[in-house]
């Protein structure tokens, strides 16, 4: 079975979707990404959809699931490079990409993820200052 | 004004499995490209077609899709007819509402597709089946 490669770049995972995905392939990608996030402790997931010409509710749900599950493991998800026609169509269809950030391209997506990590670190420092009880 | 469109070309495709979805979408795209449909309209058409074909598979046990190139006045377009012999829909008004689902999903396939198309009709009879017909005009 063919697989979509997941690249590791520092704290982030990068996936480039280059073909119109069969459902099974999309579901495998979801499972693979989620397990990779947990294994690598990644802080962010970038999904490049610039070659994707159709996102229907099925694919939209897969993207949403990836974001939700990654968030549970403390990683943010950014979908990058969505074609304007695809973005317009998604809005008209009424599909909310819940918890999914979007960015123009991979570089911008990286910037977005980096800024999120910085914010979180600041928050954590504040929390530590306040001496909030730690879990464990 | 309700002049009936002229059918210039007719193609049919049987859809019985999940793996038929991607080839079906490619077929619709081919026809849309052939008539020079704009990229945005193509995207709306194919996305809506994908929703309807998924419904047909999930709720109607698969079926047949008719893909037609139609022409009305100066405009041409693609008309798709999704026909299944599944259980039918007891309450169409409800099924057409955003968020209504019997499949633990998002309930946006039917209402969303209606928004994406220029014309949308749905006929359904319990125990007989469901037929959804949609048209997207090239310049609509
Ligand atoms: N071909 C069909 N045969 C029988 N019932 C159908 C058919 N298509 C739709 N329905 C019914 O209409 C409901 C609404 O369909 P719709 O596509 O809007 O939402 P959904 O498929 O439940 O969710 P989503 O499309 O967001 O995944 C379905 O849950 C189902 O009960
Ligand atoms: Mg549906």
């Amino acid at each position: 079975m063919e697989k979509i490669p997941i690249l590791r770049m520092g704290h982030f995972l990068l996936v480039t979707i280059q073909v119109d995905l069969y459902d099974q392939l999309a579901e495998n990608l979801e499972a693979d990404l989620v397990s990779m996030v947990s294994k690598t402790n990644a802080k962010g997931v970038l999904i490049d959809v610039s070659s994707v010409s159709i996102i229907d509710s099925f694919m939209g749900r897969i993207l949403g699931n990836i974001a939700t599950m990654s968030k549970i493991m403390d990683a943010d998800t950014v979908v990058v490079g969505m074609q304007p026609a695809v973005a317009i169509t998604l809005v008209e269809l009424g599909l909310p990409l819940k918890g999914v950030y979007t960015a123009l391209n991979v570089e911008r997506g990286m910037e977005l993820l980096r800024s999120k990590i910085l914010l979180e670190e600041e928050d954590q420092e504040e929390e530590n200052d306040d001496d909030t009880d730690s879990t464990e | 004004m309700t002049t009936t469109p002229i059918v210039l070309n007719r193609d049919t495709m049987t859809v019985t499995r999940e793996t038929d979805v991607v080839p079906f979408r490619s077929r619709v795209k081919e026809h849309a490209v052939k008539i020079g449909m704009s990229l945005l309209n193509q995207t709306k058409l194919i996305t809506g077609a994908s929703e309807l074909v998924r419904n047909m598979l999930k709720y109607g046990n698969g079926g047949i899709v008719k893909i037609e190139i139609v022409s009305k006045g100066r405009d041409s377009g693609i008309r798709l007819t999704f026909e299944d012999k599944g259980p039918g829909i007891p309450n169409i008004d409800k099924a057409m509402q955003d968020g209504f689902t019997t499949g633990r999903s998002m309930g946006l396939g039917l209402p969303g597709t209606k928004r994406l198309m220029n014309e949308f009709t749905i006929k359904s009879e319990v125990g007989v089946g469901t037929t959804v017909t949609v048209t997207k005009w090239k310049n609509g």
Side-chain angles (χ1 to χ4, degrees), chain B residues 31-122:
Chain B
H31 289 284
V33 167
K34 205 173 353 178
I35 65 166
M37 189 178 278
S38 73
L39 181 65
L40 180 57
N41 281 358
Q42 270 182 49
T43 308
K44 290 182 179 182
L45 170 72
I46 299 163
T47 306
S50 189
E51 294 301 327
L52 296 177
V53 91
R54 284 186 187 289
N55 280 353
M56 202 166 84
L57 284 167
K58 188 170 174 184
Y59 306 109
N61 313 315
I64 294 174
V65 190
K66 201 159 63 183
I67 307 168
E68 293 167 311
I69 296 177
V70 290
S71 136
K72 193 163 114 178
R74 297 181 136 198
D75 214 353
S76 55
I78 303 289
R79 182 167 69 190
L80 304 173
T81 307
F82 299 79
E83 199 179 335
D84 70 59
K85 297 193 175 0
I89 303 173
N91 188 336
I92 291 184
D93 287 344
K94 246 188 180 170
M96 288 305 299
Q97 277 169 21
D98 271 311
F100 177 85
T101 179
T102 60
R104 292 162 175 269
S105 193
M106 292 174 287
L108 53 78
L110 289 177
T113 301
K114 187 175 181 185
R115 286 190 286 270
L116 292 171
M117 301 294 178
N118 297 118
E119 279 157 42
F120 181 103
T121 52
I122 178 164

